[in-house]
Amino acid sequence: ALPGGGPPISPDAIQAIQVNFAPYDVRQGAFTGAGVNAVTRSGTNEFSGSAYTFIKNQSMIGTKVAGVTQSNANFTYNDIGFRLGGPIIKNKLFFFVNYESEKSVSPAVTFPVNTPGNVPTAITDKTDPNYNSETNLQRIVDFFSANPTLVNNYNPGTYKNFDLPTQTHKYLARFDWNISDKHKLTLRYNQTNAFHDVIPSTSFNPFGSGPSGARTVGINSIPFSGSYYRQDNNVYSVITELNSSFSNKYSNTLTLGYSAFRDPREQGGGGAVPSFPIVDIRGPNGQYLTSVGPDPFTKNNNLAQDIIQINDNFNIYLPNHVVTIGTANELFKFTNVFTPMINGNYQYNSISDFLNNIAAPTATNAPYVFQVQYSAVPGNPAPGAVWKAQQLGLYAQDEYTGFKNIKLTYGMRVDMPSYPSTLPQNPTSDALTFANGEKVTVGKLPKTNPLYSPRIGFNWDVNGDKTLQIRGGTGVFTGRIPFVWLSNQVTNNGLLFGQITQGTQVTGAQLTAAQAANFASGYNFKPTPFVPATVSTTPQISINATVPSFKFPQVWRTNIGVDKALPYGLVATFDAVYTKDINAVYWRDANFNNPIRNVDGDGRPQFAGTINGNPNATTDANGSGLWGRRVNQNIVTAYVLDNTNKGYSYSLTGQLQKTFTKGFYASGGYTYTDARDVNAATGSQASTTAYAIVQSFNTAVNSYSSNLTTHHVVASGSYRKEYARFFATTISGIYHGTSGSRFSYTYSGDVNGDGSTNDLIYIPRNQNEILLTTSGPTDTRTVTQIWQQLDNYISQDKYLSKHRGQYAGRNGAVAPWINVLNVRLLQDFYVDMKNGKRNTIQFSIEAFNFLNLLNSNWGVIKTPARQALIGFAGYENPAATTANTNSANPLLPNNSYTTTAASGRPILTFATQADGVTPLTNSFINNTGTSSRYQLQVGVRYIFN
């Protein structure tokens, strides 16, 4: 799919599409979820075609959500295209061409930045809560405008009223040649050129994770427009297929293909910008307020992939048997340049610290993190990875029809991924021993591990008249991974980059005086001076590797299905599917040390709160090595790609459908699904796949999948009426009712000392199970009042109230039910020609989220008010003599705190809403964006055939 969402081939060029979730035909491979087969249109002996355009804009979008008026920023969408097919030589040579252009411009910020009562007004400076969002963010704009020299002439852009363009051009040409009665050749070329402007990356790799809410647009933060980036996606593909029928006993299909994917990234919506780092600034609630400066992962970012495809199927037709012997092969070449943090990253506790640090850097206004990465390869400012991979497949199967009314398909497929590239070795990291005695080798890609996929499927026409069919099967399906995961190993080997890292992201403590002194001597937002005169790798490096036995994803899937013809023309369908992971993929950090104890009053494992621990100690109290998070102090992270078999899913689906007389059709269905996994692995880097945990990032724990939709109801209907010789009207609709999105309740802060803010909360049963304190100097609540507000919040929350006394589950909470109804009206004006053809002009109007058009309270999507629900202030200091002496507020800030991980129970905050004052009373808020509002789209199409 393209970055804007949508297929690389125009839907108008597709003749038929098939989604196979459990196909037991071994010719279909390279997927563990579902396989999508699309057949493009082809030319015939008659000319046919279509031309169309569809448009929508901000005036066609609703302005009310739950009775509250929301203004629409500039928005436009235009889709224009055509298709044409016909003969070049009748009965011999045919052509089909298609072109489509989609252009849209959508607002980056879909709410007023400074509307009284709107949540984003809480975007305030931590050092001056009286600033509202408009005034506060404008301070940055004014400072950069007034001090161009100090900021390297960088323009941060704006924080409101800017657009995100998306543009796609799709081309397709197909030629079909009937060489003879026995041979047919098809040649298809398709090209896609697209770009999409994207919100800045929320990742902090390779230096660890930061507070939640980073660089997003929403309840806590608004990044500046200059922090966005443009993702280009270009596809060039040519496929040729030769179908041969040698006799009534033998046939063959040979497919050859070449595809080139070119996916560079550009900064700031496609425009060049001066060198400037990414600056992240926290707000009063500890989450990120805004980001200034170019996206940290865009400069030099370029991915190129070349794929050669060679497939062949040879069929043998025997009595009651169709035997297929085949091969499916893909040869890959990758060029991947990725220079994260090459411009540097600063993180500040407030806007005032940021601006003052530029003007007059001191230890008191220094950032709490500074980090930069630079090339360690002389003469090459952007080293990258060039490497190859291949996946070779062999298979054989038999379709047996010797049983009455039963078709039986059984076969075996073997896929063999291999990696012919030779990688450089890193003798420094190769010589080290990591957690649990593991050796990590960056210079070795996985060995060739044959992956076997036996399958058997059946279709039983019980009565021989298709009124009752039972179908199903069982077997193994083998997929493949995004190869960028292996590219991480090729580039993150400790040989290509050096880095400077100072500070700590989790606690927000500012740099030491010695570290801050660097800023007075040239660190002021000009990355070039940071690079040493003689570049080399630094003692501290981050590496990626793969276990030698690593295997591509494999699942075992079993299903049973029934299709039954019922009275009154109804057709009932039931499907049950169970899937079990054989080789799922997850990352772990081989350099992450064992826990030092369990958290007091919580019980979860606690890790060292520092990176290096005590340099004078050889073991901690548990004898687990240096009292720090790292096993080897000079290895920042050692991410290892590994396998697990713990995930599973199952689904039950029932459906009824009926085609009525006089042009009416209706269907309805319900699906129940449960899916668990260790890691959804949706990111392109190991650190971007970090997930909420109670244990350790290295502990493979099953929990709800992030994309799980437990309940799904779908209903559709259509009615078409032709009348008055030249007219036809069609009205259709489709309803989707689904469970809301899944999410995790976590702490804001690092409760378990692992260096990441991804800790699932413990849900207290009563006040005795939690130590609470105020959230800041302006917070005047007593501990009893804080507990009462938290207790009330837990009680009104459906998930939290049912799980008191437990850890919150990863993706355990579910947002409210979502109702979406889309309606379309088509009006045809047609003329039937004497030769039996019909020319039609078709006007259309579509209403997306039609329920919101009927009532502003309907079709509204609700999102979590806060996922990072409880804040972490520090640990109780058992040695503090002043602890619990103030009866009105016994745990005042700095009264009994310590950051030492070996101390007592964690002290927590419930800071309520983003302003730090108003109590948080409801779990969910209305999503006021366009997804909760109706959208109208109009179109016109000309069709001839």
Side-chain angles (χ1 to χ4, degrees), residues 259-263 303-307 332-335 483:
S259 299
F261 298 83
R262 300 294 183 262
D263 303 314
L303 175 62
Q305 305 177 65
D306 295 274
I307 304 173
F332 304 89
K333 179 183 178 182
F334 307 98
T335 301
F483 282 100

Side-chain angles (χ1 to χ4, degrees), residues 101-175:
S101 171
E102 287 186 275
K103 297 181 180 180
S104 68
V105 176
S106 59
V109 182
T110 59
F111 46 76
V113 175
N114 196 37
T115 300
N118 191 291
V119 172
T121 59
I123 297 179
T124 57
D125 187 349
K126 191 173 184 179
T127 62
D128 188 352
N130 294 320
Y131 273 113
N132 64 30
S133 59
E134 181 101 35
T135 304
N136 201 36
L137 297 178
Q138 188 63 35
R139 295 171 61 199
I140 297 175
V141 177
D142 295 341
F143 183 92
F144 275 59
S145 177
N147 300 277
T149 303
L150 291 178
V151 296
N152 200 26
N153 294 307
Y154 178 71
N155 180 0
T158 182
Y159 50 86
K160 62 177 181 178
N161 299 331
F162 64 98
D163 299 325
L164 298 181
T166 298
Q167 184 170 298
T168 305
H169 298 281
K170 305 173 186 178
Y171 311 85
L172 183 139
R174 171 173 167 161
F175 299 92

Side-chain angles (χ1 to χ4, degrees), residues 598-647:
N598 292 330
V599 176
D600 288 347
D602 189 315
R604 78 185 68 213
Q606 187 172 49
F607 302 89
T610 59
I611 294 175
N612 298 321
N614 182 358
N616 298 318
T618 56
T619 62
D620 64 11
N622 299 321
S624 63
L626 268 177
W627 193 46
R629 291 198 299 267
R630 299 176 185 171
V631 176
N632 299 290
Q633 302 307 312
N634 286 332
I635 303 295
V636 179
T637 54
Y639 289 123
V640 176
L641 200 60
D642 206 341
N643 291 121
T644 178
N645 63 358
K646 290 189 174 183

Side-chain angles (χ1 to χ4, degrees), residues 335-564:
T335 301
N336 187 18
V337 180
F338 182 56
T339 57
M341 300 296 181
I342 201 74
N343 277 354
N345 173 224
Y346 296 82
Q347 297 174 30
Y348 287 91
N349 280 315
S350 70
I351 290 177
S352 295
D353 279 355
F354 167 48
L355 300 181
N356 292 337
N357 189 244
I358 297 177
T362 67
T364 58
N365 59 36
Y368 61 88
V369 162
F370 164 70
Q371 46 196 7
V372 69
Q373 182 166 292
Y374 57 86
S375 170
V377 181
N380 186 356
V386 179
W387 62 289
K388 296 179 180 180
Q390 57 192 26
Q391 185 166 356
L392 310 179
L394 298 172
Y395 46 82
Q397 80 171 15
D398 180 24
E399 293 182 11
Y400 179 66
T401 55
F403 299 120
K404 182 180 179 180
N405 300 335
I406 295 177
K407 177 182 176 181
L408 191 65
T409 302
Y410 50 91
M412 170 69 78
R413 181 183 179 111
V414 183
D415 291 285
M416 293 172 288
S418 61
Y419 314 94
S421 296
T422 300
L423 304 186
Q425 305 290 318
N426 188 332
T428 301
S429 61
D430 287 353
L432 298 175
T433 299
F434 292 82
N436 303 315
E438 183 177 11
K439 289 290 186 178
V440 176
T441 305
V442 299
K444 291 183 179 179
L445 289 166
K447 61 182 180 181
T448 300
N449 294 304
L451 301 171
Y452 298 94
S453 300
R455 302 177 200 168
I456 182 170
F458 70 92
N459 190 302
W460 180 22
D461 184 357
V462 178
N463 301 317
D465 58 2
K466 300 187 184 301
T467 58
L468 175 60
Q469 295 188 88
I470 302 175
R471 49 190 164 70
T474 187
V476 175
F477 295 83
T478 300
R480 62 171 181 245
I481 62 172
F483 282 100
V484 67
W485 294 353
L486 291 175
S487 285
N488 292 167
Q489 176 176 345
V490 181
T491 55
N492 297 338
N493 55 15
L495 303 173
L496 302 182
F497 298 98
Q499 65 190 46
I500 300 170
T501 306
Q502 295 179 338
T504 173
Q505 282 180 310
V506 175
T507 65
Q510 289 172 301
L511 300 182
T512 65
Q515 292 172 333
N518 293 325
F519 289 84
S521 59
Y523 271 34
N524 278 332
F525 309 103
K526 297 179 182 179
T528 304
F530 302 158
V531 180
T534 302
V535 296
S536 65
T537 58
T538 49
Q540 293 194 344
I541 59 176
S542 296
I543 59 176
N544 282 65
T546 311
V547 294
S549 60
F550 177 78
K551 296 181 179 180
F552 274 19
Q554 280 189 301
V555 300
W556 169 60
R557 178 168 294 137
T558 297
N559 86 299
I560 186 74
V562 179
D563 302 308
K564 173 62 177 172

Side-chain angles (χ1 to χ4, degrees), residues 879-891:
T881 58
T882 57
N884 302 317
T885 59
N886 185 330
S887 59
N889 204 343
L891 291 175

Side-chain angles (χ1 to χ4, degrees), residues 180-454:
S180 67
D181 291 341
K182 296 182 180 296
H183 303 284
K184 178 181 178 180
L185 181 69
T186 298
L187 177 66
R188 189 195 74 206
Y189 173 79
N190 68 279
Q191 175 180 326
T192 303
N193 302 110
F195 70 79
H196 179 53
D197 280 14
V198 184
I199 193 170
S201 171
T202 58
S203 171
F204 287 85
N205 183 276
F207 307 98
S209 63
S212 57
R215 305 185 191 128
T216 58
V217 174
I219 189 171
N220 293 294
S221 61
I222 299 179
F224 277 74
S225 60
S227 298
Y228 285 66
Y229 66 90
R230 173 165 293 181
Q231 177 66 64
D232 294 316
N233 289 85
N234 303 295
V235 181
Y236 310 89
S237 178
V238 59
I239 301 289
T240 184
E241 182 176 283
L242 177 64
N243 286 280
S244 301
S245 178
F246 302 108
S247 67
N248 60 356
K249 289 187 177 181
Y250 306 106
S251 67
N252 191 80
T253 300
L254 172 65
T255 304
L256 303 175
Y258 168 75
S259 299
F261 298 83
R262 300 294 183 262
D263 303 314
R265 270 163 64 159
E266 302 174 74
Q267 185 57 58
V273 297
S275 292
F276 198 82
I278 182 74
V279 176
D280 298 305
I281 303 171
R282 284 184 177 181
N285 59 356
Q287 299 189 26
Y288 281 105
L289 183 159
T290 190
S291 296
V292 181
D295 174 81
F297 304 102
T298 292
K299 187 173 183 179
N300 305 318
N301 191 327
N302 192 4
L303 175 62
Q305 305 177 65
D306 295 274
I307 304 173
I308 295 175
Q309 172 187 348
I310 306 172
N311 297 343
D312 190 77
N313 294 313
F314 183 73
N315 299 312
I316 305 172
Y317 303 95
L318 302 172
N320 297 324
H321 295 271
V322 177
V323 178
T324 300
I325 302 172
T327 179
N329 310 283
E330 291 179 301
L331 311 178
F332 304 89
K333 179 183 178 182
F334 307 98
T335 301
N336 187 18
V337 180
F338 182 56
T339 57
M341 300 296 181
I342 201 74
N343 277 354
N345 173 224
Y346 296 82
Q347 297 174 30
Y348 287 91
N349 280 315
S350 70
I351 290 177
S352 295
D353 279 355
F354 167 48
L355 300 181
N356 292 337
N357 189 244
I358 297 177
T362 67
T364 58
N365 59 36
Y368 61 88
V369 162
F370 164 70
Q371 46 196 7
V372 69
Q373 182 166 292
Y374 57 86
S375 170
V377 181
N380 186 356
V386 179
W387 62 289
K388 296 179 180 180
Q390 57 192 26
Q391 185 166 356
L392 310 179
L394 298 172
Y395 46 82
Q397 80 171 15
D398 180 24
E399 293 182 11
Y400 179 66
T401 55
F403 299 120
K404 182 180 179 180
N405 300 335
I406 295 177
K407 177 182 176 181
L408 191 65
T409 302
Y410 50 91
M412 170 69 78
R413 181 183 179 111
V414 183
D415 291 285
M416 293 172 288
S418 61
Y419 314 94
S421 296
T422 300
L423 304 186
Q425 305 290 318
N426 188 332
T428 301
S429 61
D430 287 353
L432 298 175
T433 299
F434 292 82
N436 303 315
E438 183 177 11
K439 289 290 186 178
V440 176
T441 305
V442 299
K444 291 183 179 179
L445 289 166
K447 61 182 180 181
T448 300
N449 294 304
L451 301 171
Y452 298 94
S453 300

